[in-house]
Amino acid sequence: MRVGISSNGVVAKVCGQVVPFAGQVVNVRGHEQEVASNGFRRNESFITESMKLLHSISGHHRSLVRAIGRRYFAASTEEFAKRNYANNDSEYNTVITSLTFQRRHYLLRDVYDDMMLDGVKPERDTFHSLIVGTMKGARLQDAFFFHNEMKAMGLVPDVALYNFLISTCGKCKNSQQAIQILEEMKRYEVKPTGQTFICLLNACAAAGRLDRVYGIVRDMTAAGLGLNKFCYAGLIAAHKNKTPITDDTASKIIELVEQSKGWSSVESTRDNAENVMMGITEEELYNTPTAECIHRRGGFIFRELTVYHVAFHACADLRNVEAMEILLEMLTKDGKPLDVYCLIQIMRCYLHSGDLDRGQKVFEDYMNTGKQPMVELYVTLAEGAMLGHTPRGMQLALETLEKMVARGFNLNPKMGNDLLLAASGEKTGGYTMANYVWDLMQSRNITPSLPAVEAYYNGLKERDIPADDQRLMLVSRTYANQRQRFRQGPGRS
């Protein structure tokens, strides 16, 4: 392989063929890479060789490629337009927004590299979109890469962008980095807002840094900022995540729920205009457990129950049935309706405590009310029943999924991955549940995540299955592809 720079731009000679570097990408979202209008198409092996070449000369930071600058090709304007997916900052911004919506956050660095190679200078809005995408994908390394690139171009981040960075730190449980972001804000004289402090509080809470959380609360109080429901949610999360868990953790959670009833509407925060434009809710910004389902309707979630949501979730994680039942009584006395999210956490608490009967009863009681069935209820019961991989639990899980399919529900990728990962831990038995989940995912053309397919593959290998078995061969290929795809390249925290 040779690399050279011609009068027409940067080209790489691979296997005797001259190939422009980045102009080959036609559709980032579809991973389609081809050479258009010049009479030849790269096959899969050639794509791999080209990517290896690019990585070999540029490294993780691709400094050589970025130093080269704008791309020029020995191609007409029409040919260039056919194979290029964006030509200016506005078009690149559209691509970034689309990738974020599709949860393909791992492609954002590639899009940015193409911008640099095209000589397109990102504007402030583009960096906001990039960092929002990395926040949603919890890609801390990418977030700080874009942050540094932004500063290198002379653009000082504003308070909203700093809030996104702190939130990303919280998603990745990196409280120290979140504190450093606040210090940087002071150096650049960017005044933090109430949202900044709440982001920081919840970032420290995610890491179980109870001392820092209470320190932030004292700073907020001294500054005349009242505590709202997201502050109490952060305090509850901090107690739950603190290690080691103490005997008074559950009582502290109940006490905080009681205290939260005093917060007023005056102290409530609102989604600011930029967050709304970016499609970011407060729940997502502050990393509450309800962030992924906050847009659900049909009685799935009531936003006014935020503190109860976090508290029920904490009790389920702590497997504390007594505290959970006290919370249920408190909710009933307050005269507030029980939404489906709380119901799911109650089921999780019973199931995680090994009480299959009561967990199943909560499920059946809801179904008998005639209310709208929710796929999450089926998945929660199935996943919880598999804990310990008892014969009865595995059978209950299988029957639950069969009922779910009979009702016309389908698994989404996250549900499928969670169930496959749980089912693959079965050491004895016929591996029926894991095979069933795999088949459901295949019927929906869902490619399992690397951890899920790895666990399933290892489970199959532990069993007496012929090497030429069709299922084993398919799983083996999927596992190899996922390893190649996700265990290379920068950007993962």
Side-chain angles (χ1 to χ4, degrees):
M1 298 182 182
R2 291 190 291 114
V3 178
I5 301 178
S6 72
S7 60
N8 293 320
V10 182
V11 296
K13 181 165 283 191
V14 184
C15 303
Q17 300 187 60
V18 178
V19 185
F21 270 161
Q24 312 305 322
V25 181
V26 176
N27 184 353
V28 170
R29 285 165 285 182
H31 286 290
E32 298 168 16
Q33 299 187 17
E34 62 179 24
V35 174
S37 304
N38 59 1
F40 74 92
R41 182 182 300 271
R42 292 186 297 179
N43 57 29
E44 185 175 351
S45 63
F46 187 68
I47 294 173
T48 303
E49 288 298 315
S50 300
M51 293 305 294
K52 286 180 179 179
L53 171 66
L54 181 58
H55 284 294
S56 69
I57 68 169
S58 62
H60 269 359
H61 300 289
R62 308 173 189 179
S63 56
L64 175 59
V65 177
R66 292 199 179 104
I68 291 169
R70 182 182 291 273
R71 290 177 289 182
Y72 296 94
F73 302 97
S76 68
T77 303
E78 292 181 359
E79 291 174 340
F80 180 80
K82 287 180 181 179
R83 65 194 183 201
N84 203 41
Y85 61 90
N87 297 297
N88 53 51
D89 181 68
S90 177
E91 292 180 4
Y92 271 111
N93 214 341
T94 301
V95 172
I96 292 165
T97 303
S98 178
L99 291 176
T100 300
F101 178 77
Q102 297 175 50
R103 299 189 178 188
R104 307 178 88 166
H105 316 102
Y106 51 88
L107 289 174
L108 294 176
R109 279 284 290 270
D110 294 326
V111 172
Y112 183 81
D113 288 341
D114 279 351
M115 290 188 74
M116 296 297 98
L117 289 165
D118 271 338
V120 176
K121 181 182 178 182
E123 300 296 336
R124 182 180 296 275
D125 289 345
T126 306
F127 279 112
H128 275 228
S129 297
L130 287 166
I131 291 178
V132 165
T134 58
M135 181 192 77
K136 289 176 177 287
R139 297 178 69 84
L140 187 60
Q141 186 176 336
D142 282 353
F144 280 96
F145 167 78
F146 294 133
H147 169 237
N148 292 332
E149 290 283 294
M150 183 178 186
K151 291 191 296 182
M153 293 184 184
L155 298 173
V156 177
D158 57 17
V159 65
L161 192 139
Y162 277 121
N163 291 346
F164 300 151
L165 287 172
I166 294 172
S167 178
T168 308
C169 293
K171 285 181 183 290
C172 300
K173 295 181 172 55
N174 192 328
S175 62
Q176 185 60 41
Q177 195 72 60
I179 296 291
Q180 291 177 10
I181 289 294
L182 184 65
E183 295 301 319
E184 181 180 309
M185 291 179 70
K186 295 177 182 178
R187 290 196 303 272
Y188 282 98
E189 298 182 348
V190 178
K191 185 179 179 180
T193 63
Q195 280 197 341
T196 306
F197 286 111
I198 301 173
C199 284
L200 187 62
L201 186 155
N202 281 278
C204 293
R209 297 302 305 268
L210 196 59
D211 53 341
R212 286 184 173 176
V213 168
Y214 276 105
I216 295 166
V217 169
R218 286 192 294 270
D219 291 342
M220 292 179 67
T221 304
L225 297 173
L227 302 184
N228 66 9
K229 60 182 180 179
F230 294 106
C231 297
Y232 286 104
L235 286 165
I236 291 170
H239 280 282
K240 190 260 291 187
N241 295 325
K242 179 175 64 72
T243 53
I245 298 294
T246 58
D247 294 336
D248 65 342
T249 298
S251 61
K252 287 288 186 183
I253 291 174
I254 294 170
E255 181 182 338
L256 287 166
V257 173
E258 191 65 42
Q259 290 176 6
S260 71
K261 297 175 184 179
W263 76 276
S264 67
S265 57
V266 176
E267 297 162 344
S268 65
T269 62
R270 294 182 179 180
D271 297 314
N272 65 35
E274 179 165 10
N275 291 355
V276 172
M277 290 288 290
M278 291 283 186
I280 303 170
T281 63
E282 287 186 298
E283 286 79 4
E284 187 168 19
L285 187 64
Y286 304 138
N287 299 315
T288 67
T290 57
E292 292 187 357
C293 55
I294 198 62
H295 296 294
R296 290 293 304 275
R297 296 293 183 265
F300 187 88
I301 195 162
F302 302 139
R303 295 185 73 173
E304 64 269 22
L305 299 181
T306 296
V307 178
Y308 276 105
H309 292 151
V310 178
F312 275 119
H313 185 270
C315 289
D317 285 351
L318 296 173
R319 305 184 181 188
N320 194 318
V321 173
E322 182 181 356
M324 180 272 293
E325 292 178 340
I326 292 174
L327 286 174
L328 188 56
E329 290 178 6
M330 292 171 62
L331 186 61
T332 303
K333 289 179 180 178
D334 290 343
K336 296 180 178 179
L338 186 70
D339 61 19
V340 175
Y341 183 85
C342 289
L343 203 65
I344 286 174
Q345 303 314 311
I346 293 170
M347 287 175 58
R348 286 183 62 237
C349 191
Y350 283 132
L351 294 169
H352 288 193
S353 302
D355 195 337
L356 288 181
D357 293 331
R358 297 179 77 179
Q360 185 178 8
K361 186 176 185 303
V362 172
F363 172 83
E364 291 175 348
D365 287 347
Y366 177 85
M367 292 300 174
N368 292 334
T369 62
K371 294 180 181 179
Q372 179 182 354
M374 305 277 185
V375 64
E376 289 85 357
L377 291 166
Y378 289 96
V379 172
T380 299
L381 179 58
E383 187 176 1
M386 286 190 283
L387 288 173
H389 301 99
T390 64
R392 183 190 169 211
M394 299 303 291
Q395 183 62 33
L396 175 60
L398 181 61
E399 292 172 357
T400 301
L401 285 192
E402 288 174 343
K403 291 177 182 177
M404 179 196 77
V405 173
R407 293 293 295 263
F409 290 115
N410 295 304
L411 299 176
N412 63 30
K414 183 180 185 305
M415 293 173 181
N417 285 322
D418 290 345
L419 288 172
L420 184 60
L421 195 59
S424 297
E426 184 183 15
K427 299 300 181 184
T428 58
Y431 222 40
T432 306
M433 180 63 181
N435 290 338
Y436 187 68
V437 174
W438 170 268
D439 292 340
L440 288 179
M441 296 180 74
Q442 291 298 298
S443 69
R444 300 286 296 171
N445 292 322
I446 298 174
T447 301
S449 65
L450 177 58
V453 71
E454 183 175 32
Y456 183 52
Y457 172 77
N458 290 335
L460 288 175
K461 293 291 288 184
E462 291 172 359
R463 287 163 168 78
D464 188 15
I465 299 175
D468 59 351
D469 180 80
Q470 293 299 313
R471 178 186 297 273
L472 180 59
M473 292 172 64
L474 175 59
V475 174
S476 180
R477 285 197 304 271
T478 305
Y479 177 42
N481 291 338
Q482 291 296 78
R483 286 186 63 186
Q484 183 178 9
R485 180 181 179 187
F486 289 107
R487 285 189 173 165
Q488 296 176 3
R492 282 164 288 281
S493 57

